[in-house]
């Protein structure tokens, strides 16, 4: 039984944090991360055939209906799944920092995130654009094609982790405050969703959806409030045990939030046309921010409680999927792009190509990830 420190006692915040940061393994978190990684692969397969010039190889859809369906999938997916990634990353960050200490934590982040990012940025990303090379100066082509590609997430996560380490260093002498494992109230949940929507709406006045940050290669900067907010929320959730404390009822409320926002806010955001919801301070963009923020918060609540109650264990298969999920994130661009070029020779509809690519590429990513991690020196990084 813990006793509270007496007034005047000095508190060793590092040891207090370490003792508080060793909960039982949350297998459902690892399993949820596998689902999110699958969605990343499917997202980029859908991008390939959506007609949007946002991938290394793209095709125009064979019909307007298929194109619309793919774009709806991309819209729904984009609203929440990367925010959920940052939430789970935030959940793991404090424990890693507490176990390793500041120097080892920063060194580990630079190795495990910085090295894959650098390799992808300067080597893999240009290679993926080689089939599109149409002549001219190879040096200019290389300089034009270096970039983070889908590893913009790794770049953002590295920055967030370094900021967290800096924050912990600045507050090293602050006494640790014990927190009871109690779920946040509904007012806090709704308040967070509303605050996130308003900050997102304000940012999109100057950074509309579709705004691309060159050099850094940040394709979804209009979602930055969601990414930062969910990462910070993950840190708080870890400290206060929220992932284990939120009730099944709150999960159902979250599902209701996601469905309700889709039925109310999403149609209102699209009522002003397809250009008004992207930003610029329009009323449509306000409704869109209300939709994607509420949708993200609600769906994450629903999935966390579902995975906790139904998928909170791991056998050999789930353990393999979980252990190799980050490697899949790093290597999947090769397989998705290769599949696009290979399937271009088939005279079939877009929907058939999407289904073939999904059935082949998703398992192939994990089949490739295992051998890649067994290469000398790679396991230390991936």
């Amino acid at each position: 039984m813990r006793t509270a420190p007496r007034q005047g006692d000095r508190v060793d915040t590092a040891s207090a944090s370490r003792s508080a940061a060793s909960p039982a393994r949350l297998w459902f978190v690892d399993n949820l991360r596998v689902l999110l990684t699958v969605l990343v692969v499917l997202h980029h397969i859908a991008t390939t055939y959506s007609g949007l010039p946002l991938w290394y190889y793209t095709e125009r859809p064979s019909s307007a209906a298929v194109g619309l369906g793919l774009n709806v999938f991309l819209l729904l997916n984009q609203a929440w799944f990367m925010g959920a990634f940052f939430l789970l990353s935030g959940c793991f960050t404090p424990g890693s920092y507490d176990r390793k200490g500041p120097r080892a934590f920063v060194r580990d982040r630079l190795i495990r995130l910085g090295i894959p990012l650098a390799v992808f940025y300067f080597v893999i990303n240009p290679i993926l654009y080689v089939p599109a090379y149409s002549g001219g100066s190879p040096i200019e082509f290389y300089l034009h094609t270096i970039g983070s590609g889908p590893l913009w997430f790794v770049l953002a996560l590295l920055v967030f982790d370094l900021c967290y380490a800096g924050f912990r260093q600045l507050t090293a002498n602050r006494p640790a405050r014990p927190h009871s494992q109690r779920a946040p109230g509904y007012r806090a949940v709704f308040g967070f969703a509303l605050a996130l929507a308003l900050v997102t709406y304000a940012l999109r006045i100057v950074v509309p959806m579709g705004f691309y940050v060159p050099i850094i290669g940040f394709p979804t900067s209009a979602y930055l409030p969601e990414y930062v907010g969910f990462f910070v929320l993950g840190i708080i959730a870890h400290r206060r045990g929220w992932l284990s404390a939120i009730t099944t009822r709150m999960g159902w409320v979250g599902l209701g939030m996601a469905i309700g926002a889709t039925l109310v806010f999403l149609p209102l955001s699209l009522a002003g046309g397809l250009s008004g919801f992207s930003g610029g301070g329009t009323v449509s963009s306000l409704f869109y921010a209300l939709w994607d923020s509420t949708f993200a918060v609600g769906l994450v609540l629903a999935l966390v409680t579902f995975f906790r109650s139904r998928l909170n264990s791991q056998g050999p298969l789930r353990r393999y999927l979980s252990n190799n999920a980050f490697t899949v994130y790093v290597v999947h661009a090769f397989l998705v792009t290769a599949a696009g070029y290979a399937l271009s020779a088939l005279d079939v509809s877009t929907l058939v190509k999407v289904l073939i690519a999904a059935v082949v590429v998703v398992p192939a990513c994990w089949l490739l990830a295992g051998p890649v991690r067994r290469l000398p020196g790679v396991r230390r990084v991936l």
Side-chain angles (χ1 to χ4, degrees):
M1 179 176 177
R2 283 187 197 161
T3 58
R6 296 186 302 273
Q7 187 174 5
D9 287 352
R10 293 186 63 186
V11 178
D12 185 347
T13 57
S15 60
S17 297
R18 290 188 183 96
S19 63
S22 56
R25 184 74 175 183
L26 303 178
W27 297 115
F28 70 91
V29 174
D30 289 333
N31 294 332
L32 179 55
R33 186 168 52 180
V34 171
L35 171 65
L36 295 175
T37 306
V38 171
L39 287 176
V40 167
V41 180
L42 295 178
H43 190 88
H44 291 139
I45 290 174
T47 303
T48 298
Y49 297 101
S50 67
L52 301 174
L54 301 175
W55 193 245
Y56 304 98
Y57 171 81
T58 59
E59 285 186 18
R60 293 184 63 84
S62 57
S63 70
V66 172
L68 177 61
L70 292 175
N71 279 279
V72 168
F73 170 75
L74 294 174
L75 180 146
L76 293 172
N77 215 28
Q78 187 63 64
W80 74 278
F81 80 135
M82 295 311 298
F85 255 126
F86 282 109
L87 174 76
L88 300 187
S89 299
C91 287
F92 287 109
T93 297
S96 178
Y97 184 95
D98 294 337
R99 289 191 305 272
K100 299 171 183 176
R103 291 186 179 180
F105 174 80
V106 171
R107 182 172 61 250
D108 179 76
R109 296 295 86 190
L110 290 175
I111 291 173
R112 295 183 66 85
L113 298 179
I115 291 178
L117 175 63
V119 172
F120 199 100
Y121 195 98
F122 294 106
V123 180
I124 298 178
N125 204 65
I127 290 175
L128 290 171
Y129 278 112
V130 166
Y133 178 61
S134 58
S137 170
I139 296 178
E140 290 184 6
F141 177 79
Y142 172 77
L143 294 176
H144 182 70
T145 55
I146 58 175
S148 58
L151 264 68
W152 65 265
F153 165 73
V154 176
L155 173 59
L157 183 57
L158 177 59
V159 172
F160 291 176
D161 281 340
L162 295 179
C163 288
Y164 176 79
F167 172 79
R168 288 289 299 271
Q169 285 294 98
L170 291 174
T171 60
N173 296 322
R174 179 177 298 177
R177 293 184 300 173
H179 295 291
S180 60
Q181 194 177 55
R182 187 175 63 181
Y186 291 106
R187 183 180 300 178
V189 171
F190 298 144
F192 175 77
L194 178 60
L196 179 59
L198 295 177
V199 174
T200 300
Y201 167 72
L203 176 68
R204 289 176 183 172
I205 294 175
V206 293
V207 182
M209 294 176 60
F211 183 85
Y212 180 80
V213 179
I215 301 177
I216 297 176
F218 198 38
T220 54
S221 50
Y223 284 91
L224 188 59
E226 179 180 308
Y227 302 155
V228 174
F230 272 63
F231 181 78
V232 173
L233 189 64
I235 293 172
I236 299 172
H238 169 85
R239 292 299 190 202
R240 303 189 179 186
W242 282 350
L243 295 187
S244 299
I246 56 176
T247 63
T248 302
R249 181 182 179 185
M250 182 169 284
W252 283 107
V253 170
L255 181 61
M257 289 172 60
I259 295 174
T262 302
L263 294 177
V264 177
F265 293 137
L266 185 56
L268 290 173
S269 69
L270 300 177
L274 295 179
S275 60
F277 71 90
S278 63
T282 64
V283 175
S284 295
S285 67
L286 173 59
F287 283 123
Y288 195 86
L290 286 168
W291 169 71
D292 60 16
S293 297
T294 307
F295 182 82
V297 172
L299 192 57
V300 168
L301 276 174
L303 285 173
V304 165
T305 56
F306 175 80
F307 271 69
R308 190 185 63 200
S309 63
R310 301 295 180 89
L311 296 167
N312 196 17
S313 63
Q314 282 192 346
L317 176 59
R318 291 179 187 171
R319 189 174 302 114
Y320 176 86
L321 297 177
S322 175
N323 290 341
N324 292 284
F326 180 64
T327 305
V328 168
Y329 194 102
V330 174
V331 305
H332 80 278
F334 262 126
L335 295 179
V336 172
T337 305
Y341 281 108
L343 293 174
S344 65
L346 296 181
D347 186 18
V348 295
S349 69
T350 296
L351 182 59
V352 173
K353 289 185 178 182
V354 170
L355 294 175
I356 293 174
V359 170
V360 173
V361 172
V362 172
C365 285
W366 264 274
L367 291 174
L368 176 64
V372 167
R373 292 186 71 223
R374 289 194 290 270
L375 294 174
V378 174
R379 183 177 291 272
R380 176 69 181 90
V381 178
L382 298 178

Coordinates of all heavy atoms in Angstrom, one line a residue, residues 35-95:
L35 N -4.7 -3.3 -36.6 CA -5.8 -2.9 -37.4 C -5.5 -1.6 -38.1 O -5.7 -1.4 -39.3 CB -7.1 -2.7 -36.6 CG -8.3 -2.1 -37.3 CD1 -8.8 -2.9 -38.5 CD2 -9.4 -1.8 -36.3
L36 N -4.9 -0.6 -37.4 CA -4.6 0.7 -38.0 C -3.6 0.5 -39.1 O -3.6 1.2 -40.1 CB -4.1 1.6 -36.9 CG -5.1 2.0 -35.8 CD1 -4.4 2.8 -34.7 CD2 -6.3 2.8 -36.4
T37 N -2.6 -0.4 -38.9 CA -1.6 -0.6 -39.9 C -2.2 -1.2 -41.2 O -1.9 -0.8 -42.3 CB -0.5 -1.5 -39.4 OG1 0.0 -1.0 -38.2 CG2 0.6 -1.6 -40.4
V38 N -3.2 -2.1 -41.0 CA -3.9 -2.7 -42.2 C -4.6 -1.5 -42.9 O -4.6 -1.5 -44.1 CB -4.9 -3.7 -41.7 CG1 -5.8 -4.1 -42.9 CG2 -4.2 -5.0 -41.2
L39 N -5.2 -0.6 -42.1 CA -5.9 0.5 -42.8 C -5.0 1.4 -43.5 O -5.4 2.0 -44.5 CB -6.7 1.3 -41.7 CG -8.0 0.6 -41.1 CD1 -8.6 1.4 -40.0 CD2 -9.0 0.4 -42.2
V40 N -3.8 1.6 -43.0 CA -2.8 2.4 -43.8 C -2.5 1.7 -45.1 O -2.5 2.4 -46.2 CB -1.5 2.5 -43.0 CG1 -0.3 3.0 -43.9 CG2 -1.6 3.4 -41.8
V41 N -2.3 0.4 -45.2 CA -2.1 -0.3 -46.5 C -3.3 -0.1 -47.4 O -3.2 0.2 -48.6 CB -1.8 -1.7 -46.2 CG1 -1.5 -2.4 -47.6 CG2 -0.5 -1.9 -45.3
L42 N -4.5 -0.3 -46.8 CA -5.7 -0.2 -47.6 C -5.9 1.2 -48.1 O -6.4 1.5 -49.2 CB -6.9 -0.7 -46.9 CG -6.9 -2.2 -46.5 CD1 -8.2 -2.5 -45.7 CD2 -6.9 -3.1 -47.7
H43 N -5.6 2.2 -47.2 CA -5.7 3.6 -47.6 C -4.9 3.9 -48.8 O -5.4 4.6 -49.7 CB -5.3 4.5 -46.4 CG -5.6 5.9 -46.5 ND1 -6.8 6.4 -46.1 CD2 -4.9 6.9 -47.1 CE1 -6.8 7.7 -46.4 NE2 -5.6 8.1 -46.9
H44 N -3.7 3.4 -48.9 CA -2.8 3.7 -50.0 C -3.2 2.9 -51.3 O -2.9 3.4 -52.4 CB -1.4 3.6 -49.6 CG -0.9 4.6 -48.6 ND1 -0.1 4.3 -47.5 CD2 -1.2 5.9 -48.5 CE1 0.1 5.4 -46.8 NE2 -0.6 6.4 -47.4
I45 N -3.8 1.8 -51.1 CA -4.3 1.0 -52.2 C -5.5 1.8 -52.8 O -5.6 2.0 -54.0 CB -4.7 -0.4 -51.8 CG1 -3.5 -1.2 -51.5 CG2 -5.6 -1.0 -52.9 CD1 -3.9 -2.6 -50.9
A46 N -6.3 2.3 -51.9 CA -7.5 3.1 -52.4 C -7.0 4.4 -53.1 O -7.6 4.8 -54.1 CB -8.4 3.4 -51.3
T47 N -5.9 5.0 -52.5 CA -5.4 6.2 -53.2 C -4.9 5.9 -54.6 O -5.0 6.7 -55.5 CB -4.3 6.8 -52.3 OG1 -4.7 7.0 -51.0 CG2 -3.7 8.1 -52.9
T48 N -4.3 4.8 -54.7 CA -3.7 4.4 -56.1 C -4.8 4.4 -57.1 O -4.6 4.9 -58.3 CB -3.1 3.0 -56.0 OG1 -2.1 2.9 -55.0 CG2 -2.6 2.5 -57.4
Y49 N -6.0 4.0 -56.8 CA -7.1 3.9 -57.8 C -8.2 5.0 -57.6 O -9.2 4.9 -58.3 CB -7.7 2.5 -57.7 CG -6.7 1.4 -58.1 CD1 -6.1 0.7 -57.1 CD2 -6.4 1.2 -59.4 CE1 -5.2 -0.3 -57.4 CE2 -5.4 0.2 -59.7 CZ -4.9 -0.5 -58.7 OH -3.9 -1.5 -59.0
S50 N -7.9 6.0 -56.8 CA -8.9 7.0 -56.6 C -8.9 8.1 -57.7 O -9.9 8.9 -57.7 CB -8.7 7.6 -55.2 OG -7.5 8.4 -55.2
G51 N -7.9 8.1 -58.4 CA -7.7 9.2 -59.4 C -7.0 10.4 -58.8 O -6.7 11.4 -59.6
L52 N -6.7 10.5 -57.5 CA -6.0 11.6 -56.9 C -4.5 11.4 -57.1 O -4.0 10.3 -56.8 CB -6.4 11.6 -55.4 CG -7.9 11.8 -55.1 CD1 -8.1 11.7 -53.6 CD2 -8.4 13.2 -55.6
P53 N -3.8 12.4 -57.5 CA -2.4 12.2 -57.7 C -1.6 12.3 -56.4 O -0.7 13.2 -56.3 CB -2.1 13.4 -58.7 CG -3.0 14.5 -58.2 CD -4.3 13.7 -57.9
L54 N -1.8 11.4 -55.5 CA -1.2 11.4 -54.2 C -0.4 10.2 -53.9 O -0.1 10.0 -52.7 CB -2.4 11.6 -53.2 CG -3.2 12.8 -53.3 CD1 -4.4 12.8 -52.3 CD2 -2.4 14.1 -53.1
W55 N -0.1 9.4 -54.9 CA 0.7 8.2 -54.6 C 1.8 8.0 -55.7 O 1.7 8.8 -56.7 CB -0.2 7.0 -54.5 CG 0.5 5.8 -53.9 CD1 0.7 4.6 -54.6 CD2 1.0 5.6 -52.6 NE1 1.4 3.7 -53.8 CE2 1.6 4.3 -52.5 CE3 1.1 6.4 -51.5 CZ2 2.2 3.8 -51.4 CZ3 1.7 5.9 -50.4 CH2 2.2 4.6 -50.3
Y56 N 2.7 7.1 -55.6 CA 3.7 6.9 -56.6 C 3.2 6.4 -57.9 O 3.8 6.8 -58.9 CB 4.8 5.9 -56.0 CG 5.3 6.3 -54.7 CD1 4.8 5.8 -53.5 CD2 6.3 7.3 -54.6 CE1 5.3 6.2 -52.2 CE2 6.8 7.7 -53.3 CZ 6.3 7.2 -52.2 OH 6.8 7.6 -50.9
Y57 N 2.2 5.6 -57.9 CA 1.5 5.2 -59.1 C 0.0 5.4 -58.9 O -0.5 4.9 -57.9 CB 1.8 3.7 -59.4 CG 1.0 3.2 -60.5 CD1 1.4 3.4 -61.9 CD2 -0.1 2.4 -60.3 CE1 0.6 2.9 -62.9 CE2 -0.9 2.0 -61.3 CZ -0.5 2.2 -62.6 OH -1.3 1.7 -63.7
T58 N -0.7 6.0 -59.9 CA -2.1 6.2 -59.7 C -2.8 5.8 -61.0 O -2.2 5.9 -62.1 CB -2.4 7.6 -59.4 OG1 -1.9 8.5 -60.4 CG2 -1.9 8.0 -58.0
E59 N -4.1 5.5 -60.9 CA -4.9 5.2 -62.1 C -6.2 5.9 -61.9 O -6.7 6.0 -60.7 CB -5.2 3.7 -62.3 CG -4.1 2.9 -62.8 CD -4.5 1.5 -63.1 OE1 -5.7 1.2 -63.2 OE2 -3.6 0.6 -63.2
R60 N -6.8 6.3 -63.0 CA -8.2 6.9 -62.9 C -9.2 5.7 -62.7 O -9.0 4.7 -63.4 CB -8.5 7.7 -64.1 CG -7.7 9.0 -64.3 CD -8.2 9.7 -65.5 NE -9.5 10.2 -65.3 CZ -9.9 11.3 -64.7 NH1 -9.0 12.1 -64.1 NH2 -11.2 11.6 -64.6
P61 N -10.2 5.9 -61.9 CA -11.1 4.8 -61.7 C -11.9 4.5 -63.0 O -12.2 5.4 -63.8 CB -12.0 5.3 -60.6 CG -11.9 6.8 -60.6 CD -10.5 7.0 -61.0
S62 N -12.3 3.3 -63.1 CA -13.0 2.9 -64.4 C -14.5 3.4 -64.4 O -15.1 3.4 -65.4 CB -13.0 1.4 -64.5 OG -13.6 0.7 -63.4
S63 N -15.0 3.8 -63.3 CA -16.4 4.3 -63.2 C -16.5 5.4 -62.1 O -15.7 5.4 -61.2 CB -17.4 3.2 -63.0 OG -17.3 2.8 -61.6
A64 N -17.4 6.3 -62.3 CA -17.6 7.4 -61.3 C -18.0 6.8 -60.0 O -17.7 7.3 -58.9 CB -18.6 8.4 -61.8
A65 N -18.8 5.8 -60.0 CA -19.3 5.2 -58.8 C -18.2 4.6 -57.9 O -18.1 4.8 -56.7 CB -20.4 4.1 -59.1
V66 N -17.3 3.9 -58.6 CA -16.1 3.3 -57.9 C -15.2 4.4 -57.3 O -14.7 4.4 -56.2 CB -15.3 2.4 -58.8 CG1 -14.0 1.9 -58.1 CG2 -16.2 1.1 -59.1
G67 N -15.0 5.4 -58.2 CA -14.2 6.6 -57.7 C -14.8 7.3 -56.5 O -14.1 7.6 -55.6
L68 N -16.1 7.4 -56.5 CA -16.8 8.1 -55.4 C -16.6 7.2 -54.1 O -16.4 7.7 -53.1 CB -18.3 8.3 -55.7 CG -19.1 8.8 -54.6 CD1 -18.6 10.2 -54.2 CD2 -20.6 8.9 -55.0
G69 N -16.8 5.9 -54.3 CA -16.7 5.0 -53.2 C -15.3 5.0 -52.6 O -15.2 5.0 -51.3
L70 N -14.3 5.0 -53.4 CA -12.9 5.1 -52.9 C -12.6 6.4 -52.2 O -12.0 6.4 -51.1 CB -11.9 4.9 -54.1 CG -11.9 3.5 -54.7 CD1 -11.0 3.5 -55.9 CD2 -11.5 2.4 -53.7
N71 N -13.1 7.5 -52.7 CA -12.9 8.8 -52.1 C -13.7 8.9 -50.8 O -13.2 9.5 -49.8 CB -13.3 9.9 -53.0 CG -12.2 10.2 -54.1 OD1 -11.2 10.9 -53.8 ND2 -12.3 9.6 -55.3
V72 N -14.8 8.3 -50.7 CA -15.6 8.3 -49.4 C -14.8 7.5 -48.4 O -14.7 7.9 -47.2 CB -17.0 7.7 -49.6 CG1 -17.6 7.4 -48.3 CG2 -17.8 8.7 -50.4
F73 N -14.2 6.3 -48.8 CA -13.4 5.5 -47.9 C -12.2 6.3 -47.4 O -11.9 6.3 -46.2 CB -12.9 4.3 -48.6 CG -11.9 3.5 -47.8 CD1 -12.2 2.8 -46.7 CD2 -10.6 3.6 -48.2 CE1 -11.3 2.1 -46.0 CE2 -9.6 2.9 -47.5 CZ -9.9 2.1 -46.4
L74 N -11.6 7.0 -48.3 CA -10.4 7.9 -47.9 C -10.8 9.0 -47.0 O -10.1 9.3 -46.0 CB -9.7 8.5 -49.2 CG -9.1 7.5 -50.1 CD1 -8.6 8.2 -51.4 CD2 -7.9 6.7 -49.5
L75 N -11.9 9.6 -47.2 CA -12.4 10.7 -46.4 C -12.7 10.2 -45.0 O -12.3 10.8 -44.0 CB -13.7 11.3 -47.0 CG -14.3 12.5 -46.3 CD1 -14.9 13.5 -47.4 CD2 -15.5 12.0 -45.4
L76 N -13.4 9.1 -44.9 CA -13.8 8.5 -43.6 C -12.5 8.1 -42.8 O -12.4 8.3 -41.6 CB -14.8 7.4 -43.7 CG -16.2 7.7 -44.2 CD1 -17.0 6.5 -44.5 CD2 -16.9 8.6 -43.2
N77 N -11.6 7.4 -43.5 CA -10.4 6.9 -42.9 C -9.5 8.0 -42.4 O -9.0 8.0 -41.3 CB -9.7 6.1 -44.0 CG -9.0 4.9 -43.4 OD1 -9.4 4.3 -42.3 ND2 -7.9 4.4 -44.0
Q78 N -9.3 9.0 -43.3 CA -8.5 10.1 -42.9 C -8.9 10.9 -41.7 O -8.1 11.5 -40.9 CB -8.3 11.1 -44.1 CG -7.3 12.2 -43.9 CD -5.9 11.6 -43.8 OE1 -5.4 11.0 -44.7 NE2 -5.3 11.8 -42.6
A79 N -10.2 10.9 -41.4 CA -10.8 11.7 -40.3 C -10.3 11.2 -39.0 O -10.3 12.0 -38.0 CB -12.3 11.6 -40.4
W80 N -9.8 9.9 -38.9 CA -9.6 9.4 -37.5 C -8.3 8.5 -37.4 O -7.7 8.5 -36.3 CB -10.8 8.6 -37.0 CG -10.9 7.3 -37.7 CD1 -11.4 7.0 -38.9 CD2 -10.4 6.0 -37.2 NE1 -11.4 5.7 -39.2 CE2 -10.8 5.0 -38.2 CE3 -9.8 5.6 -36.0 CZ2 -10.5 3.7 -38.0 CZ3 -9.5 4.2 -35.9 CH2 -9.8 3.3 -36.9
F81 N -7.9 7.7 -38.4 CA -7.0 6.6 -38.2 C -5.6 7.1 -37.8 O -4.9 6.5 -37.0 CB -7.1 5.6 -39.3 CG -6.3 5.9 -40.5 CD1 -5.5 5.0 -41.1 CD2 -6.4 7.2 -41.1 CE1 -4.8 5.2 -42.3 CE2 -5.7 7.4 -42.3 CZ -4.8 6.5 -42.8
M82 N -5.1 8.2 -38.4 CA -3.8 8.6 -38.0 C -3.8 9.3 -36.6 O -2.9 9.2 -35.9 CB -3.3 9.6 -39.1 CG -3.0 9.0 -40.4 SD -2.1 7.4 -40.4 CE -0.5 8.0 -39.7
G83 N -4.9 9.9 -36.3 CA -5.1 10.4 -34.9 C -5.0 9.3 -33.9 O -4.4 9.4 -32.9
A84 N -5.7 8.2 -34.3 CA -5.6 7.0 -33.4 C -4.2 6.5 -33.2 O -3.8 6.1 -32.2 CB -6.5 5.9 -33.9
F85 N -3.4 6.5 -34.3 CA -2.0 6.1 -34.3 C -1.2 7.0 -33.3 O -0.5 6.5 -32.5 CB -1.4 6.2 -35.7 CG -1.1 4.9 -36.4 CD1 -1.6 4.7 -37.6 CD2 -0.4 3.9 -35.8 CE1 -1.4 3.5 -38.3 CE2 -0.2 2.7 -36.4 CZ -0.7 2.5 -37.7
F86 N -1.5 8.3 -33.4 CA -0.8 9.2 -32.4 C -1.2 9.0 -31.0 O -0.4 9.1 -30.1 CB -1.0 10.6 -32.9 CG -0.1 11.1 -34.0 CD1 -0.7 11.3 -35.3 CD2 1.3 11.2 -33.9 CE1 0.1 11.7 -36.4 CE2 2.1 11.6 -35.0 CZ 1.5 11.8 -36.2
L87 N -2.5 8.7 -30.8 CA -3.0 8.4 -29.5 C -2.2 7.2 -28.9 O -1.8 7.2 -27.7 CB -4.5 8.1 -29.5 CG -5.1 7.6 -28.2 CD1 -5.3 8.8 -27.2 CD2 -6.4 7.0 -28.4
L88 N -2.2 6.1 -29.6 CA -1.5 4.9 -29.1 C 0.0 5.1 -28.9 O 0.6 4.6 -28.0 CB -1.7 3.7 -30.1 CG -3.1 3.3 -30.4 CD1 -3.2 2.0 -31.2 CD2 -3.9 3.1 -29.1
S89 N 0.6 5.9 -29.8 CA 2.0 6.3 -29.6 C 2.2 7.1 -28.4 O 3.2 6.9 -27.6 CB 2.5 7.1 -30.9 OG 2.4 6.3 -32.0
G90 N 1.3 8.0 -28.1 CA 1.4 8.8 -26.9 C 1.3 7.9 -25.6 O 1.9 8.1 -24.6
C91 N 0.4 6.9 -25.7 CA 0.3 5.9 -24.6 C 1.6 5.2 -24.3 O 1.8 4.9 -23.1 CB -0.8 4.9 -24.9 SG -2.5 5.5 -24.9
F92 N 2.4 4.9 -25.3 CA 3.6 4.1 -25.0 C 4.8 5.1 -24.6 O 5.8 4.6 -24.1 CB 4.0 3.3 -26.2 CG 3.1 2.1 -26.5 CD1 2.2 2.1 -27.5 CD2 3.2 1.0 -25.6 CE1 1.4 1.0 -27.7 CE2 2.4 -0.1 -25.8 CZ 1.5 -0.1 -26.9
T93 N 4.7 6.3 -24.9 CA 5.8 7.2 -24.7 C 6.2 7.4 -23.3 O 7.4 7.3 -23.0 CB 5.5 8.6 -25.4 OG1 5.3 8.4 -26.8 CG2 6.6 9.6 -25.1
P94 N 5.3 7.7 -22.3 CA 5.8 7.9 -20.9 C 6.5 6.7 -20.3 O 7.5 6.8 -19.7 CB 4.5 8.2 -20.2 CG 3.6 8.7 -21.2 CD 3.9 7.9 -22.4
G95 N 5.9 5.5 -20.6 CA 6.5 4.3 -20.0 C 7.9 4.1 -20.6 O 8.9 3.7 -19.9

